[in-house]
Amino acid sequence: TIWAKKGETFHQSRKKSGGNGKGTTGPKSKRTRGYQKRGYHESQHQLPETLQDVMICQEISSEARDNPLKGLSLRMWDFSQCDPKRCTGARLARRGIFQSMPLKQPFRGLVLSPNGSESVSPADSNILEEFGLSVIDCSWARLDEIPFSQMKQGHHRLLPFLVAANTVNYGKPSKLSCAEAAAATLYICGRVDAAKAVLAEFG
C-alpha cells in the first residue's frame, strides 16, 4: 500500500514510488512495452485498412454483377468502309464492348450476315451464350467488296424484319447499324439488359 505524505497528493506519491496506485510496480509497465514491441498497437491501426480493402473488393464484385454484358463475347470484323465518326461498330470497339478480330480468325458463334439462310431466333440463345456474337462492320452500299467466302465459320443469321433508326438509313427496312443489329440479336435471344446496355452507349 502506498501512503501519501502530508502535503502530497496520492498521484504525487505514486510517481515517486514508481507504482500505479494499485500495489503493482515496474513489471506492469514492462509488459505494456512488450505489447508495443510485438506490434500490438500497430495491428490495431492496420484494421481499418483491411476493412477498406474488403469494401473495395465488394464494390468491384458488385459492379461486375451489375454489368449485363459481362461474360458475353461480342466480336466484329471491321472492313473500315464507314466514317469512323458515325460508325456505331467503331464506337463500341473504342469503348471495349466489341472486340475486333482478323478475317481468318476462327469463330463459332452467331454471325450477323446478309448471306445467312435463316433468321435469328430464341433457339440461338445457347450459341450466343457459349460462343458469342459477331457483326460485319461494312457499308451497305459496298457489300460486293466484302469477302463473304472467307467468313464461312460460325452460324450465319439474318435479322427478322426491322426498320433502321440510325441517322444514315433511318426508316429503311433491314438496313440496321452494327449496334442496332447486335442489340436486336441480344434482345431476341433473351439478353434484354445487354441489348439496352449496347444502345445506351448512344444516349
Side-chain angles (χ1 to χ4, degrees):
T1 303
I2 300 173
W3 299 95
K5 293 181 180 180
K6 185 175 181 181
E8 289 183 338
T9 65
F10 175 78
H11 292 291
Q12 288 173 334
S13 175
R14 173 176 172 272
K15 184 175 181 181
K16 286 183 179 181
S17 64
N20 58 8
K22 295 184 179 179
T24 57
T25 56
K28 178 70 175 181
S29 60
K30 288 181 180 180
R31 286 197 298 271
T32 303
R33 287 195 297 272
Y35 285 129
Q36 293 174 343
K37 289 179 181 179
R38 289 195 296 270
Y40 176 76
H41 293 292
E42 285 81 354
S43 63
Q44 284 184 321
H45 290 301
Q46 291 174 358
L47 183 59
E49 296 179 4
T50 303
L51 291 175
Q52 185 177 12
D53 292 340
V54 171
M55 292 174 66
I56 292 173
C57 290
Q58 288 176 342
E59 289 176 1
I60 293 174
S61 61
S62 176
E63 289 176 1
R65 287 195 304 269
D66 294 339
N67 181 8
L69 297 171
K70 181 177 175 58
L72 285 173
S73 176
L74 302 179
R75 303 297 184 90
M76 177 179 72
W77 282 298
D78 185 6
F79 290 94
S80 302
Q81 293 181 344
C82 305
D83 181 354
K85 295 181 179 180
R86 304 172 70 181
C87 179
T88 62
R91 178 186 292 192
L92 292 174
R94 287 195 300 269
R95 298 187 179 184
I97 295 176
F98 279 175
Q99 181 180 354
S100 295
M101 62 179 176
L103 181 61
K104 295 184 179 180
Q105 179 174 328
F107 184 73
R108 300 171 62 188
L110 295 176
V111 179
L112 300 181
S113 167
N115 284 358
S117 58
E118 56 184 290
S119 297
V120 174
S121 74
D124 292 319
S125 59
N126 290 336
I127 300 174
L128 172 68
E129 296 293 342
E130 187 172 357
F131 300 113
L133 165 70
S134 179
V135 298
I136 300 172
D137 191 4
C138 62
S139 170
W140 282 102
R142 299 169 63 184
L143 286 179
D144 56 338
E145 301 176 20
I146 304 302
F148 289 105
S149 60
Q150 299 182 40
M151 294 183 288
K152 294 182 178 179
Q153 298 188 53
H155 303 266
H156 288 242
R157 294 289 188 268
L158 296 166
L159 284 171
F161 183 86
L162 294 169
V163 177
N166 61 77
T167 57
V168 177
N169 293 306
Y170 184 84
K172 296 180 180 180
S174 302
K175 291 193 174 182
L176 276 62
S177 66
C178 287
E180 291 172 329
T185 302
L186 292 169
Y187 194 100
I188 292 170
C189 291
R191 296 298 293 263
V192 177
D193 289 341
K196 292 179 179 179
V198 169
L199 295 180
E201 295 295 328
F202 303 90

Coordinates of all heavy atoms in Angstrom, one line a residue, residues 26 72 78 96 115 126 153 160:
G26 N 7.1 -1.8 -11.5 CA 7.7 -2.0 -12.7 C 7.2 -3.0 -13.7 O 7.1 -2.8 -14.9
L72 N -20.3 -12.1 -72.1 CA -20.6 -12.2 -73.5 C -19.4 -11.9 -74.4 O -18.7 -10.9 -74.1 CB -21.8 -11.2 -73.8 CG -23.2 -11.6 -73.4 CD1 -24.1 -10.5 -73.6 CD2 -23.7 -12.9 -74.1
D78 N -14.0 -5.8 -89.0 CA -14.1 -4.3 -89.4 C -13.4 -4.2 -90.8 O -12.2 -4.4 -90.9 CB -13.4 -3.5 -88.4 CG -13.5 -2.0 -88.6 OD1 -14.2 -1.6 -89.6 OD2 -12.9 -1.2 -87.9
G96 N -14.7 -0.7 -75.7 CA -14.4 -2.0 -75.2 C -15.5 -3.0 -75.2 O -15.5 -4.1 -74.6
N115 N -25.7 -13.0 -95.9 CA -25.6 -14.3 -96.6 C -26.2 -15.4 -95.7 O -26.1 -16.6 -96.1 CB -24.2 -14.6 -96.9 CG -23.7 -13.8 -98.2 OD1 -24.5 -13.1 -98.7 ND2 -22.5 -14.0 -98.5
N126 N -28.4 -20.5 -76.9 CA -27.3 -21.3 -76.4 C -26.0 -21.0 -77.2 O -25.0 -21.0 -76.6 CB -27.7 -22.8 -76.6 CG -28.8 -23.2 -75.6 OD1 -29.0 -22.6 -74.6 ND2 -29.5 -24.3 -75.9
Q153 N -17.1 -19.7 -91.2 CA -17.2 -20.3 -89.9 C -18.3 -19.6 -89.1 O -18.8 -18.5 -89.4 CB -15.9 -20.1 -89.2 CG -14.7 -20.8 -89.8 CD -13.5 -20.8 -89.0 OE1 -13.5 -21.1 -87.8 NE2 -12.4 -20.3 -89.6
P160 N -34.8 -10.6 -88.4 CA -36.2 -10.5 -88.9 C -36.4 -9.1 -89.4 O -35.6 -8.2 -89.2 CB -37.0 -10.9 -87.6 CG -36.1 -10.6 -86.5 CD -34.7 -10.9 -87.0

